[in-house]
Amino acid sequence: MTPLENLHYAIGELAYAVARADDSVQKEERKIFHDIVETELHCKDYAFDISGIIFQIMDKDQTDSATTYNWAMDEIKLNSHYLSPKLKKKFICVMEKVAKAFPPVTVSEQSLINKFKKDIAVINGDPVYYEKA
């Protein structure tokens, strides 16, 4: 995968962690999650289905939200040179939409989103890279 695809995959995992923060992800939530990820991250531009891959991996691994969060943030930092301000806003939007998909937004979901906003605020991409993408 390219660095930009890695960033999208990482935010997909974070969005899944948000969806699962209040319990397991129900069938209806899977459909909404898939639609949000596909619409917001433009997955149809890639040769793979981000949300489908995420469901397969996360269902198999059953990792907790903290582990998923740490892995995804490491991936974002590793590929941060492609992280534009516009992409950061989009990532926050995706996480918020996933949390709001099945009201109410729980304390654990909001806490994860707030942590993400704080952690991503200090990561700055390099215009040399992200303006080419």
Side-chain angles (χ1 to χ4, degrees), residues 20-78:
R20 201 180 64 201
D22 59 348
D23 201 5
S24 62
V25 179
Q26 304 302 319
K27 184 178 181 179
E28 304 85 34
E29 287 178 293
R30 286 176 181 259
K31 172 71 172 119
I32 291 171
F33 174 87
H34 176 79
D35 292 346
I36 290 169
V37 170
E38 185 172 307
T39 300
E40 295 296 325
L41 300 180
H42 307 289
C43 297
K44 59 189 168 279
D45 297 337
Y46 297 146
F48 57 91
D49 174 18
I50 291 176
S51 63
I53 293 169
I54 290 166
F55 279 126
Q56 289 176 6
I57 292 171
M58 300 305 284
D59 285 347
K60 185 185 277 188
D61 285 349
Q62 293 297 315
T63 56
D64 60 271
S65 290
T67 302
T68 300
Y69 183 89
N70 291 333
W71 178 89
M73 287 308 298
D74 287 346
E75 195 66 23
I76 288 171
K77 290 173 188 171
L78 180 66

Side-chain angles (χ1 to χ4, degrees), residues 100-113:
K100 291 175 185 174
F102 274 88
V105 176
T106 65
V107 172
S108 57
E109 289 171 327
Q110 191 60 55
S111 175
L112 201 57
I113 292 168

